[in-house]
Each structure stands twice: as structure tokens, then as C-alpha cells.
Amino acid sequence: MLRSCVSVPAVAAAIRSVCGRSYNQDVCSAEEPNTEETAAVYVHWPYCEKRCTYCNFNKYIARSDNEDAIRSCLVQEAHTLIQLSQVRRVSSVFFGGGTPSLASPSTIGAVLEGIAKYADLPADAEISLEANPTSSRKSKLQQYRDVGVNRLSIGVQSLNDHDLLLLGRTHTASDAQRTLEEACKIFPGQTSVDVMFGLPGQSLASWHSTLHRLLELCDDHVSLYQLTLERGTMMFKWKEKAQVTFPDQELTAQMYDDARWILQQAGFQQYEVSNFARNGAVSKHNLSYWHGKHYIGIGPGAHGRFVVHSSRGKRRQARIQTLEPEPWMQEVMRYGHGTRKVTEQNDFDILSELLVLGLRTDIGISHKRWRTLCHAVSLHGLFEASQELRDLQENGLLVLDHTGLRCTRRGLAVLDSLLPTLLSQFQDSWSQSENVKPHRPQTTA
């Protein structure tokens, strides 16, 4: 998985894992009730063939002797957490990583069968799998389709061999093209591609060339990601030693803006900061994150947000599973799950996340959705109490109308600079509201 092209350092660290046609609100709407009995499921496959030069995600080099064990633990953890949450229906399943296309189709099928055994998994539920070109050949892709996967997300990243070499990818541009062509035949209308910009030495002309070539090959969903340098990665070390040069901030902003225009001309609608779709091919699973719905995370390092029923009542929890595969498996075998950290979320926490994530989408946050979660502070009340927020609105960055709060097209591009003001004003208004104050969440390890 990659970072969004909009990064909010102060906020993203806390909700990073929550962290991808025209938008069909009848299919996946922010107005749907956020029932506790329905949740999405994220399954983390922690292994890769090698670590890319830019990557700092929770992933490890694949082992050939433990797939049976990790398969059994994934099924067991799904059972435990579904029972704990009392979820009755799973709306979508997303296999991320890592490189889940390194897992055998039988493992993917076993996890889906396990989920369906413990909760209703409708026949039309979106079942997504991330795949890398080198680990995805036609025969294997068809096998994933046969066990229940119905949407593919391919990590193309670039169609330039020099860029792919710098990124540490194990595939070539021709590998990516071949895999994409095969995937579009097996998953027509449900094949997504990831592509990166802001790469070392990348020019505006080369970025345009990549996009136009991609549009000749791609299906109906494209995710754009700006390269973000993370401390501890090989690419970060290269930059420190001045071994590579990167486009400046102004150029990367131009790359993003140009990409939005090029994709729009090709019939894509930007329905989220980094995601573009046509013909209704939005990622329903990711929309559940952005709309603040419940999701269960299983696998090493997975995150989740769901309600737990206990003797103290019903409480929504933020959960993080143990990062390393071996300790995680030991905990699952001993306790039924490998949850390493649990944080009970109060209404303030939930609403803060909704602000951060909901504003990433083109429809933003509706008044109805906000009122369902918050009775103390209205969206209009936030703006009435803050000249800074009204200035953002007057400057054409935010829209607050009868439908709710959302970013303008220009505002989406600078969302990282808007969120601190929004969150600060929300905290002030919340604290000042009658008999309502944010409190320190309870965390257990």
C-alpha cells in the first residue's frame, strides 16, 4: 500500500492505516446507516519478494515454509474478531500487504470461506486483492477469480524501466503491461492501477507520457500516489547523501494537477484525493474507511475500528494487531487473536477521524451523517465560531451548504493545510459545548 498524495503529518500518524465511472451513491452512500452489525474486513498479508527502496510499511521477505500456519491463523483471527464484534454481515473484504498475490489462491479462498462461515458475505460483496505484476500471471489471476476475488488492484507504479529500477520494483514496464492486459480480461471493469509521481529525476513531460500510456491500458480505476520519503528507507538515505534529486514541491503539485485534468478528459471522476473512477468502478471497501464505518483488521499489523460488546456496554475500539508475523501467529494460536493495542474511542475521536477522512472524498461529510454521530456541535456551528474557517470558505477551499461540508476541487489539492485549522476549531467547539469535553482514551496493550 502507498501513501496518499496529500499527507497530514500530525494526523496521519494516528490513522495512517485507515489507511483505493461516475460515483453511484445508491450503491455506496455516506447516508447508509453505520450499523454495528455490518463491517468491512481488511486482511493483511505481510510478505513481499523484496523491500522496495521507498517502502516503510509492515512487510517482510516471504517464507516458503509457513503459508499453512499463517492461513490457519488468519482464519482463526477472523473467527475471533467477528465473534467479538458481533458483526453479522461483511460488506467487503480487502487483501492488502505486503504482496497478497504471493499467497496461494487456496489461502485466499480459505480466508474467504472462514469469513463467510462466521458472518454473511453476500454474493455481490466487493472482494479486492492487491497484486504486483511479477507475482501475477494469467493462470494465477484466474485462480483468484475462481476462489471469490472480484476486484484487482495492481501496483504498476511506473511504465518506465529506469523509474522501476530506482523504486526497487521486481517487474519491468513490459511485465506491468502484460499483467494489466490479462487482468482487464479476467476482471473487466474491476481492475485498478496504482501509479506514482514525484519520482527521482521525473519531469513533467515524462509524467504526462506515463499517464497517456497508462490510459491506453488501464481499466476504470486509477490511484495516484506522490512519492513520500520515509526515514529508514533506502531512498531516504540516497537523498541524504545527495545521490538522487527529486522534483521540487511546485513541480510535484503541477504533476498532480495535470494528472487530474488528464484523467478527467479521459472520463474519470475524482471521487477521493488520490482515487479516480469511471463507469461506477469506485472502491466500495475504501469508501467504508472514508465514511467512518466499521472495519475489522486481521493479520500482522492490521488496524481495525469496530464496536465491542462487554460488561461495560458497547464501545467502539481502535485496534492494532501485532506487527511481526511470528509473534502474531503465536498470539493467535494462544489467544485466538493477535491484538497488540486497543484504544477505546469516544465520540470526539470518531468525529475527528471522520473530518480527516470524510473530507478526502468528493461528497465530503453530510449533515445527516454528522448529526448521527454528534449532537453537541453542528457543522454550521463550527463555521459560525471560527473566522478562520469562514475565510477558507470565502477563499474557495471549502463548501458548507445544505448538503454538508466538502472540499472544492482546489481544496482537495491542499487538504493537508486545511485539516489542522478544522481539527483545532472542532476541539475548541467540542470543549466549549455544554457538558461535553474530550477525554483521554483508554488504551491497553
Side-chain angles (χ1 to χ4, degrees):
M1 297 177 69
L2 301 171
R3 287 193 185 283
S4 159
C5 54
V6 173
S7 173
V8 192
V11 180
I15 59 171
R16 181 172 298 170
S17 71
V18 179
C19 340
R21 312 174 204 210
S22 59
Y23 181 39
N24 185 345
Q25 289 187 331
D26 292 329
V27 173
C28 188
S29 170
E31 301 300 337
E32 293 177 1
N34 189 22
T35 64
E36 299 164 8
E37 296 182 348
T38 299
V41 172
Y42 172 77
V43 183
H44 188 77
W45 183 261
Y47 297 120
C48 283
E49 291 179 313
K50 61 173 290 188
R51 181 172 287 276
C52 297
T53 58
Y54 59 89
C55 181
N56 76 332
F57 282 91
N58 184 43
K59 54 181 63 175
Y60 305 85
I61 303 305
R63 283 180 48 182
S64 60
D65 61 346
N66 72 339
E67 184 165 349
D68 288 347
I70 197 168
R71 177 197 302 129
S72 175
C73 288
L74 287 171
V75 173
Q76 176 60 59
E77 187 164 70
H79 179 201
T80 302
L81 296 185
I82 288 174
Q83 282 195 323
L84 183 66
S85 66
Q86 297 186 24
V87 161
R88 296 185 180 181
R89 180 179 181 272
V90 171
S91 56
S92 63
V93 181
F94 192 103
F95 291 88
T99 308
S101 56
L102 289 176
S104 65
S106 61
T107 290
I108 301 300
V111 174
L112 290 174
E113 288 176 6
I115 292 171
K117 182 178 179 181
Y118 309 123
D120 176 31
L121 184 61
D124 62 349
E126 181 185 86
I127 312 296
S128 301
L129 180 119
E130 290 183 340
N132 283 350
T134 48
S135 57
S136 305
R137 294 297 181 256
K138 184 174 182 180
S139 60
K140 199 173 184 182
L141 294 185
Q142 183 60 57
Q143 291 173 34
Y144 287 129
R145 181 83 192 197
D146 292 342
V147 299
V149 175
N150 55 30
R151 183 179 183 274
L152 210 64
S153 178
I154 302 178
V156 170
Q157 314 314 354
S158 176
L159 291 173
N160 180 292
D161 285 335
H162 175 70
D163 290 342
L164 292 170
L165 187 63
L166 279 175
L167 293 170
R169 306 295 289 180
T170 58
H171 68 272
T172 64
S174 61
D175 290 332
Q177 178 173 334
R178 182 175 59 252
T179 301
L180 188 51
E181 289 172 347
E182 294 168 352
C184 288
K185 294 176 182 177
I186 299 171
F187 300 89
Q190 293 298 323
T191 296
S192 177
V193 293
D194 292 352
V195 63
M196 300 177 70
F197 65 96
L199 307 182
Q202 189 175 42
S203 67
L204 198 59
S206 66
W207 173 233
H208 288 180
S209 176
T210 293
L211 286 172
H212 288 301
R213 287 179 61 199
L214 189 68
L215 287 171
E216 295 174 358
L217 302 168
C218 74
D219 200 358
D220 290 332
H221 193 281
V222 174
S223 296
L224 301 180
Y225 296 102
Q226 179 182 334
L227 175 64
T228 302
L229 294 180
E230 299 288 354
R231 186 174 298 276
T233 63
M234 183 63 69
M235 194 166 283
F236 186 90
K237 295 175 183 177
W238 291 346
K239 183 179 181 181
E240 282 190 318
K241 296 178 181 178
Q243 294 177 319
V244 291
T245 58
F246 295 83
D248 60 28
Q249 188 174 9
E250 183 176 348
L251 180 54
T252 54
Q254 187 65 50
M255 288 178 176
Y256 177 60
D257 199 48
D258 286 3
R260 295 204 291 173
W261 185 85
I262 291 170
L263 287 168
Q264 181 181 0
Q265 295 303 302
F268 286 84
Q269 177 183 346
Q270 183 179 16
Y271 71 99
E272 192 267 345
V273 170
S274 300
N275 290 274
F276 301 76
R278 61 188 176 190
N279 300 324
V282 300
S283 170
K284 299 175 187 176
H285 181 87
N286 286 342
L287 281 171
S288 66
Y289 297 157
W290 300 322
H291 291 159
K293 298 183 180 181
H294 301 293
Y295 62 97
I296 298 171
I298 68 173
H303 290 228
R305 301 284 191 279
F306 58 87
V307 171
V308 172
H309 300 252
S310 69
S311 58
R312 293 187 296 163
K314 297 185 297 184
R315 295 172 180 268
R316 175 161 156 144
Q317 296 181 342
R319 286 181 166 245
I320 304 175
Q321 308 309 100
T322 294
L323 292 176
E324 305 85 356
E326 298 300 327
W328 170 80
M329 284 191 282
Q330 292 173 9
E331 291 172 22
V332 173
M333 288 186 284
R334 180 175 298 178
Y335 306 113
H337 65 90
T339 303
R340 177 59 59 90
K341 183 178 181 181
V342 178
T343 302
E344 292 189 349
Q345 293 190 295
N346 57 34
D347 290 344
F348 178 80
D349 302 325
I350 296 169
L351 287 160
S352 295
E353 288 189 358
L354 181 62
L355 273 175
V356 172
L357 298 176
L359 288 178
R360 295 181 63 88
T361 66
D362 60 341
I363 64 172
I365 306 164
S366 71
H367 291 296
K368 181 178 180 180
R369 180 78 178 112
W370 184 265
R371 287 194 300 266
T372 299
L373 298 171
C374 182
H375 303 289
V377 181
S378 69
L379 290 173
H380 283 296
L382 287 178
F383 279 71
E384 290 171 359
S386 172
Q387 182 61 50
E388 288 182 283
L389 294 185
R390 294 196 296 275
D391 289 343
L392 295 178
Q393 188 176 15
E394 292 169 5
N395 290 332
L397 298 173
L398 293 173
V399 174
L400 178 65
D401 57 19
H402 67 283
T403 63
L405 175 65
R406 61 188 181 278
C407 289
T408 63
R409 177 179 171 81
R410 191 158 62 91
L412 277 178
V414 293
L415 179 59
D416 56 340
S417 66
L418 309 182
L419 286 173
T421 300
L422 276 162
L423 291 171
S424 176
Q425 180 56 47
F426 174 53
Q427 183 166 13
D428 289 345
S429 297
W430 181 272
S431 299
Q432 294 168 10
S433 62
E434 184 178 1
N435 298 323
V436 179
K437 293 184 182 297
H439 62 270
R440 186 181 300 276
Q442 299 179 13
T443 301
T444 60

